[in-house]
Amino acid sequence: MAITSANQLELLQTAEAVAREKMIDPGLVVEAMEESLARAAKSRYGSELDIRVHIDRKTGRATFTRVRTVVEEVENHFTELSVKEAQEFKEGAVAGDEIVDEVPPVEMGRIAAQSAKQVILQKVREAERDRQYEEFKDRAGTIINGQVKREEYGNVIVDIGRGEAVLRRNEKIGRESYRPNDRIRVYIKDVRREPRGPQIFLSRTAPEFMAELFKMEVPEIYDGIIEIKAVARDPGSRAKIAVISYDNAIDPVGACVGMRGSRVQAVVNELQGEKIDIIPWNEDAPTFLVNALQPAEVSKVVLDEDAGKIEVVVPDDQLSLAIGRRGQNVRLASQLTGLDIDILTEDEESARRQAEFAERTQIFMDNLDLDEFFAQLLVAEGFTSLEEVAYVEQDELLVIDGVDEDTAQELQARARDYLEEQNRLALEHAKELGVEQSLIDFEGLTPQMLEALGEDGVKTLDDFATCADWELAGGWTTVDGQRVKDDGLLEKFDVSLEEAQNMVMTARLQLGWVTIEELEERAAAEAEAEAAAAEEEAGA
């Protein structure tokens, strides 16, 4: 087609129609037309030339121009001019100027017209994707209503008004099925810009979906009077949600349940009958866990904060209720509290305590040459190790029935003699293993620690300085959603992660691997990062 006065206005009308249909800026469509016309002109005049097209936004007139840049030394005569040549076209031309010549409009053949159409469509698609991304990028984390368009390999494609989104198979509640044109309420889990355009990922199984549903049903949550602190879900089956009220006059559980259960029932209906336990949140971990294990009753809770584990003792008849069907109740309680939970019956806990009592009694009998009765007295008073007996204040031994000053002194002397002998043997074994004096002289390592390090091949201060803190103190990592224990070389000596880190950094300092200034900079950076994380968490 030729660009003639008859169809100049038609260009603008077409651009506006396309822009209205796709809800994008008409200027973008006109720019796409200019690029497509420039391509057609290059195919006519030569692809090496710099041909540009400008369409007047008022009249629709297309102007074709050839642009050449003025340079000192010409390398490409198609797009460049020397200063001398340029001065023939423009008086006073200098390097860097552009010489613009208007060229005749081109007639677009069938192939050129097809190419132009592809350019315009591509530009329109890109503009549409950008608009869709800008519109939805800030809506991640909210609920939206959509209409099912189709299903592809188990994934549901949802029409969300100005675009399409995908509800993946693993984000659907198990027994749900949808037909085209069904209305659906979904949570926008993520919005990402990808080569094929923005991808909007939806979910109905995310814990946040339940939290947002409660926010819609419970005005107190929307107003910030009640806060949802944690959510754990087994989608389509059971869920637990922890709430706290910042107004003493409002019961957080009652507000979420609603009159005759109306509020929670609305959420249950949306989630296909998923049973929901609403639990009062408590900053005290054991108390919160007791609440989280409802409806089971709990007799005792023992918290190990370093390991992030917690032991729960329940009556024998409550064990199955506490664990739940297929471990569901304890699993959800663990997700809600962020702790690993071990559940014991009262009989199991009693048997374990008796075994520990007998084991400690035997240690005192064997190593302090005591009779069973006296050893049991020590254990009953809370002594758990020979170190405690050896180095405790003597007054703490004198409170035991039948123990006078002489007896207390004798007990402590026996304990110290035994420990010193053990230290001597451990140090000898460590030396036999090849542990060098540089490590033996390092402050903070006992002979037993040196022995354990030597058995694992850590024999010099250099070896020790290359260890990571978790290699020494142990720790927990998450693998495939399960917490896995990493045993540390010095873990049995109750060396904490912080202590291990300090020892390793001290060793590196002694070896000259780091300086005091570098350590101070690192400490300052870590403190700043912790403060930023705390501020972000408080803001969230």
Side-chain angles (χ1 to χ4, degrees):
M1 64 177 182
I3 304 297
T4 63
S5 58
N7 61 14
Q8 287 173 358
L9 285 175
E10 191 178 323
L11 281 175
L12 294 181
Q13 291 167 356
T14 302
E16 288 176 5
V18 171
R20 269 198 307 273
E21 181 187 345
K22 302 295 184 180
M23 290 172 287
I24 59 176
D25 181 5
L28 294 172
V29 183
V30 175
E31 286 175 14
M33 291 178 170
E34 289 173 340
E35 186 177 328
S36 63
L37 290 172
R39 283 195 182 188
K42 283 184 179 182
S43 65
R44 169 69 175 81
Y45 293 117
S47 58
E48 303 89 352
L49 303 179
D50 183 3
I51 303 291
R52 302 178 191 178
V53 177
H54 174 72
I55 298 176
D56 190 291
R57 272 33 174 195
K58 292 182 179 178
T59 64
R61 182 177 182 274
T63 304
F64 291 71
T65 56
R66 176 191 182 185
V67 179
R68 288 175 289 179
T69 305
V70 180
V71 294
E72 295 288 349
E73 188 175 337
V74 176
E75 293 181 0
N76 183 346
H77 67 274
F78 292 108
T79 59
E80 295 174 345
L81 275 176
S82 67
V83 175
K84 184 177 180 182
E85 290 172 324
Q87 286 175 350
E88 295 178 11
F89 298 94
K90 178 182 176 183
E91 190 176 343
V94 294
D97 287 351
E98 287 187 341
I99 304 300
V100 180
D101 303 317
E102 188 168 342
V103 296
V106 297
E107 290 190 3
M108 298 182 72
R110 183 177 59 82
I111 294 175
Q114 190 66 24
S115 174
K117 181 180 178 183
Q118 290 300 323
V119 171
I120 293 171
L121 287 175
Q122 179 65 24
K123 284 284 186 181
V124 168
R125 275 196 296 268
E126 288 175 4
E128 193 177 11
R129 288 168 182 167
D130 287 341
R131 181 216 30 96
Q132 188 176 324
Y133 176 76
E134 291 299 322
E135 180 176 345
F136 285 98
K137 68 177 182 179
D138 296 325
R139 295 182 68 180
T142 62
I143 286 177
I144 192 170
N145 292 315
Q147 189 172 24
V148 175
K149 291 190 73 173
R150 62 188 182 278
E151 190 166 344
E152 296 177 353
Y153 308 106
N155 301 324
V156 179
I157 308 303
V158 181
D159 183 347
I160 51 175
R162 294 189 176 185
E164 288 184 354
V166 60
L167 178 65
R168 287 175 170 169
R169 186 185 331 181
N170 61 333
E171 297 291 346
K172 294 192 293 183
I173 295 175
R175 52 181 174 267
E176 288 182 328
S177 62
Y178 299 101
R179 291 176 297 183
N181 300 321
D182 281 353
R183 300 297 299 175
I184 184 174
R185 184 183 285 182
V186 284
Y187 175 79
I188 301 179
K189 190 173 183 179
D190 193 15
V191 181
R192 296 202 294 265
R193 193 195 293 271
E194 295 189 354
R196 294 178 300 165
Q199 295 290 299
I200 302 169
F201 298 100
L202 308 176
S203 176
R204 283 177 57 80
T205 61
E208 297 86 356
F209 181 45
M210 177 180 286
E212 288 297 313
L213 287 173
F214 269 103
K215 188 183 290 186
M216 293 169 68
E217 296 294 336
V218 184
E220 291 86 348
I221 295 177
Y222 183 83
D223 294 336
I225 299 169
I226 293 173
E227 182 185 353
I228 298 172
K229 299 291 286 187
V231 181
R233 289 183 66 191
D234 191 350
S237 177
R238 194 182 191 95
K240 291 179 183 285
I241 180 168
V243 291
I244 185 173
S245 173
Y246 296 111
D247 185 338
N248 293 333
I250 295 178
D251 170 28
V253 176
C256 291
V257 171
M259 187 73 69
R260 295 179 183 174
S262 59
R263 290 175 174 178
V264 71
Q265 194 57 47
V267 178
V268 169
N269 292 341
E270 178 62 43
L271 298 176
Q272 305 295 316
E274 191 171 316
K275 295 180 178 65
I276 302 173
D277 297 331
I278 303 172
I279 295 158
W281 186 83
N282 196 302
E283 62 182 12
D284 178 56
T287 305
F288 181 32
L289 182 61
V290 170
N291 295 338
L293 281 171
Q294 291 175 4
E297 296 175 9
V298 176
S299 303
K300 188 167 73 172
V301 174
V302 181
L303 174 64
D304 183 351
E305 291 184 353
D306 291 336
K309 291 187 69 174
I310 200 160
E311 281 186 353
V312 178
V313 182
V314 298
D316 289 16
D317 61 348
Q318 295 285 309
L319 181 62
S320 60
L321 192 59
I323 294 174
R325 182 167 57 90
R326 296 177 184 171
Q328 187 183 64
N329 193 52
V330 69
R331 184 172 66 252
L332 290 175
S334 179
Q335 291 175 16
L336 200 68
T337 57
L339 296 166
D340 277 346
I341 302 171
D342 289 336
I343 294 185
L344 305 173
T345 64
E346 290 176 341
D347 286 348
E348 289 171 337
E349 200 250 348
S350 176
R352 192 183 67 177
R353 276 193 288 113
Q354 288 175 6
E356 288 177 353
F357 189 90
E359 183 184 350
R360 289 169 183 167
T361 299
Q362 196 63 47
I363 289 173
F364 290 143
M365 288 170 62
D366 294 343
N367 301 317
L368 298 181
D369 194 20
L370 302 176
D371 60 35
E372 186 177 4
F373 176 74
F374 205 99
Q376 287 177 344
L377 277 178
L378 282 177
V379 178
E381 284 295 330
F383 289 93
T384 60
S385 67
L386 292 168
E387 284 82 3
E388 288 181 12
V389 175
Y391 302 111
V392 78
E393 291 291 333
Q394 200 175 91
D395 292 345
E396 294 192 32
L397 289 169
L398 294 175
V399 299
I400 302 173
D401 289 339
V403 176
D404 56 21
E405 280 193 27
D406 291 340
T407 307
Q409 287 175 1
E410 177 64 23
L411 273 174
Q412 290 195 310
R414 289 185 188 181
R416 287 169 183 164
D417 287 345
Y418 175 81
L419 292 172
E420 285 172 7
E421 178 63 14
Q422 293 302 305
N423 287 344
R424 185 186 67 79
L425 293 173
L427 187 57
E428 282 184 4
H429 188 217
K431 289 179 178 177
E432 289 171 5
L433 290 168
V435 175
E436 296 184 4
Q437 198 64 37
S438 62
L439 191 58
I440 293 172
D441 293 338
F442 186 76
E443 188 176 347
L445 294 177
T446 67
Q448 284 80 6
M449 290 180 184
L450 292 168
E451 185 179 29
L453 291 170
E455 288 173 346
D456 205 79
V458 180
K459 300 177 181 180
T460 67
L461 192 60
D462 288 56
D463 294 340
F464 185 73
T466 59
C467 292
D469 48 13
W470 60 267
E471 288 181 287
L472 299 177
W476 294 82
T477 53
T478 301
V479 180
D480 296 331
Q482 299 292 322
R483 282 171 63 80
V484 178
K485 183 73 179 69
D486 292 320
D487 294 325
L489 298 178
L490 305 181
E491 186 173 357
K492 62 183 177 182
F493 305 107
D494 293 329
V495 173
S496 70
L497 202 64
E498 186 177 356
E499 289 170 336
Q501 189 178 55
N502 288 337
M503 284 197 289
V504 170
M505 296 313 294
T506 301
R508 292 174 183 175
L509 193 63
Q510 289 181 7
L511 291 167
W513 294 2
V514 294
T515 64
I516 291 287
E517 291 75 17
E518 288 173 341
L519 291 180
E520 289 175 347
E521 286 176 9
R522 174 177 168 174
E526 288 177 353
E528 188 176 333
E530 286 178 8
E535 187 176 333
E536 184 177 336
E537 186 175 340

